[in-house]
Amino acid sequence: MTIEAIPIREETIRLGQFLKYAGLAESGAEARQLIEEGEVSVGGQVELRRGRQLRAGDVVVVQTPGGTVGAEVGEPLK
């Protein structure tokens, strides 16, 4: 699995938003479902809070039926 850094617009981004923004979920509903089912981890720990604030350097990994996908929160765009 390759982890790509995805730059964000602000200093922080909510987990649910990042899943959509990084293409790890197709919709907010899918992001919510993945989180509620315990399929999402941040920094190696399962995260059940959709509103969890992420910062640059946080690594998000999602377990899907097709395999594991992930992305790193990149530095904010200037």
Side-chain angles (χ1 to χ4, degrees), residues 2-62:
T2 303
I3 301 290
E4 180 181 350
I6 308 293
I8 57 177
R9 294 183 191 105
E10 304 290 332
E11 292 293 320
T12 63
I13 188 170
R14 289 187 184 108
L15 177 58
Q17 292 173 318
F18 185 73
L19 291 173
K20 292 185 302 183
Y21 184 67
L24 302 176
E26 292 185 18
S27 67
E30 182 183 16
R32 181 177 59 245
Q33 181 179 4
L34 289 168
I35 293 167
E36 287 175 355
E37 292 177 356
E39 302 295 337
V40 179
S41 64
V42 178
Q45 299 292 322
V46 172
E47 182 56 67
L48 299 173
R49 297 172 295 159
R50 193 170 47 145
R52 158 88 185 258
Q53 294 290 319
L54 303 176
R55 299 185 182 288
D58 284 337
V59 175
V60 178
V61 175
V62 179

